[in-house]
Amino acid sequence: MSSVRIRENTFKLCLKNFPKRPTYEEIHAFVHDKVGLKPTQVTRLQMNHSQNCVHIKCVDLKTAQDAVINHNDRHELVVDKKRI
């Protein structure tokens, strides 16, 4: 049996309503342009295909919490020229 790894300083970008998975480039652009996180603030972007989401690990808890507080349910991505 596998153990569950605790994710620290991480928030999740849910992709369950997307008609297709965005590319890594689209996710990076969204995190930088829309959420406003700089590359120095993000330590990992990890696609989780089984949960249909992206885990975004930040350098500290405050950065992750601020991103969620300021951006939760406020943005859409454009995939194949459709807003999602």
Side-chain angles (χ1 to χ4, degrees):
M1 174 127 79
S2 65
S3 62
V4 175
R5 191 176 89 209
I6 297 173
R7 295 186 183 273
E8 296 177 341
N9 308 333
T10 303
F11 64 96
K12 184 166 43 172
L13 176 63
C14 182
L15 304 174
K16 69 180 179 182
N17 295 324
F18 285 46
K20 76 168 209 169
R21 216 172 259 124
T23 65
Y24 284 104
E25 291 81 10
E26 290 169 326
I27 298 228
H28 278 272
F30 176 80
V31 169
H32 177 68
D33 298 338
K34 300 289 185 183
V35 180
L37 293 176
K38 299 174 187 168
T40 56
Q41 294 175 299
V42 177
T43 59
R44 178 179 297 143
L45 289 175
Q46 181 183 21
M47 283 287 242
N48 186 322
H49 298 290
S50 64
Q51 292 182 3
N52 205 15
C53 68
V54 179
H55 295 282
I56 302 165
K57 183 174 184 176
C58 299
V59 293
D60 56 33
L61 181 59
K62 180 165 178 21
T63 302
Q65 287 176 329
D66 288 348
V68 172
I69 289 167
N70 295 323
H71 300 279
N72 191 33
D73 288 333
R74 295 189 181 149
H75 299 288
E76 300 171 328
L77 280 178
V78 177
V79 178
D80 288 339
K81 300 180 183 177
K82 292 182 183 179
R83 286 194 159 309
I84 302 169

